[in-house]
Amino acid sequence: MRAQPDSGQIVRDAYFDDPLIDAAERYWKSNEWHSLRQIVGKGPGKALDVGAGRGIASYALAREGFTVTALEPDPSDLVGSGAIRELALKSSLPIAIEENLSERLPFEDSSFDLIFARAVLHHIGDLPAAMHEFWRVLRPGGMIVAAREHVISSAKDLPAFLASHPLHHRYGGESANTLLFYQKAIREAGFEGLRTIGSLDSAINFGPQSEREIHQRIAAQVMPIVPLQLVVLSLLNIPGVGKTVRRLLSRFDRRPGRHATFLAWKPA
């Protein structure tokens, strides 16, 4: 895919481009991570990056001062633990690697201050089991952040999502679940204070698109006449207005595969 000129933007948006350290640095500077930084805060602390992939979130967490363990069962040098090793070496950041699955974590109880998972939960075969493991290894008072999870309204929406996904037809590894499925797994593991961030609520879910780009799309859908689109866009760009409109539209968003982010805490 990286060798195909017409796929360049998708590759870049997914942070699959090389050099890897440049892609990771771009993620750390992205609007997505800017919004996440306000949630996860800064270290010191121990963070578990679940399903770490190429390690871009591990890199970002380490840049914020966390000591990071990257959990990644795939040994690939391109999108797995091999890539993370190269990134940790070149960046000299505190990133350790564990090649294992979420359902059987090889860590002692209360080992981590933060559990972070970016676009991972929908890949896990037994999510309830994994959630219980996350709860076990998280310290009391610690937080779990599950960002950019694919959401469908019902099982019948899954084929449409998979057909539209730009990568699924290449490797067959994508999936999606309902909001209730994710929320039930999180709550039943023992987590409290569950907060769900909708598809248009935050750049966590709509990045790397900017707020202005999202507002342009909204204006185009609401008002097909171009001059009037500019009026709608001006209104959306008024401080507070666009955020309120996006939040409202998130509640009615039924696009198969839309993103949602979940925050929850282990009781102190």
Side-chain angles (χ1 to χ4, degrees):
M1 187 171 185
R2 295 198 301 185
Q4 298 175 356
D6 61 344
S7 298
Q9 192 60 51
I10 295 175
V11 169
R12 184 175 172 82
D13 287 350
Y15 302 98
F16 286 156
D17 54 309
D18 284 330
L20 173 54
I21 195 166
D22 291 348
E25 179 75 6
R26 192 173 73 252
Y27 176 70
W28 181 63
K29 294 178 178 178
S30 71
N31 60 345
E32 177 189 335
W33 186 258
H34 174 76
S35 297
L36 282 165
R37 183 185 294 117
Q38 298 174 42
I39 294 170
V40 303
K42 291 183 175 291
K46 294 182 178 180
L48 177 65
D49 182 16
V50 179
R54 304 189 84 201
I56 59 169
S58 295
Y59 176 92
L61 288 163
R63 285 292 301 263
E64 302 300 344
F66 289 94
T67 300
V68 182
T69 298
L71 183 75
E72 177 50 60
D74 184 352
S76 166
D77 291 336
L78 180 63
V79 293
S81 60
I84 303 171
R85 285 190 179 90
E86 177 190 356
L87 181 60
L89 180 65
K90 289 187 175 180
S91 65
S92 299
L93 289 171
I95 303 172
I97 299 159
E98 178 63 44
E99 291 184 4
N100 221 314
L101 296 173
S102 300
E103 294 93 332
R104 51 173 187 267
L105 298 178
F107 310 116
E108 295 182 359
D109 295 358
S110 305
S111 294
F112 299 97
D113 302 291
L114 170 69
I115 293 180
F116 184 85
R118 181 182 187 267
V120 172
L121 301 191
H122 59 274
H123 289 294
I124 295 176
D126 188 344
L127 184 57
M131 276 296 164
H132 280 88
E133 279 291 88
F134 297 154
W135 190 93
R136 181 182 65 79
V137 303
L138 187 63
R139 68 162 176 81
M143 176 172 58
I144 182 170
V145 179
R148 297 174 72 92
E149 290 302 330
H150 290 310
V151 174
I152 51 177
S153 298
S154 67
K156 70 178 188 298
D157 292 334
L158 184 58
F161 162 63
L162 296 179
S164 67
H165 196 283
L167 297 177
H168 179 72
H169 70 282
R170 296 178 181 274
Y171 61 87
E174 288 300 328
S175 189
N177 298 298
T178 65
L179 275 177
L180 290 177
F181 180 83
Y182 292 117
Q183 292 166 341
K184 181 180 179 182
I186 293 169
R187 288 192 176 106
E188 290 189 350
F191 290 102
E192 296 181 352
L194 176 61
R195 176 186 168 198
T196 301
I197 301 174
S199 57
L200 300 175
D201 292 354
S202 168
I204 298 171
N205 294 324
F206 61 69
Q209 295 179 88
S210 66
E211 286 187 4
R212 183 172 181 83
E213 288 171 322
I214 294 296
H215 292 170
Q216 288 173 335
R217 287 176 51 194
I218 293 171
Q221 292 176 359
V222 170
M223 190 58 65
I225 303 172
V226 174
L228 294 179
Q229 287 179 15
L230 298 178
V231 175
V232 175
L233 183 59
S234 297
L235 293 173
L236 290 172
N237 288 331
I238 295 173
V241 174
K243 182 177 181 179
T244 300
V245 171
R246 293 198 318 273
R247 184 168 294 174
L248 179 63
L249 291 176
S250 288
R251 303 303 176 265
F252 295 96
D253 191 355
R254 294 295 180 268
R255 292 172 300 162
R258 60 194 178 276
H259 288 150
T261 292
F262 306 95
L263 318 175
W265 289 260
K266 182 174 180 177

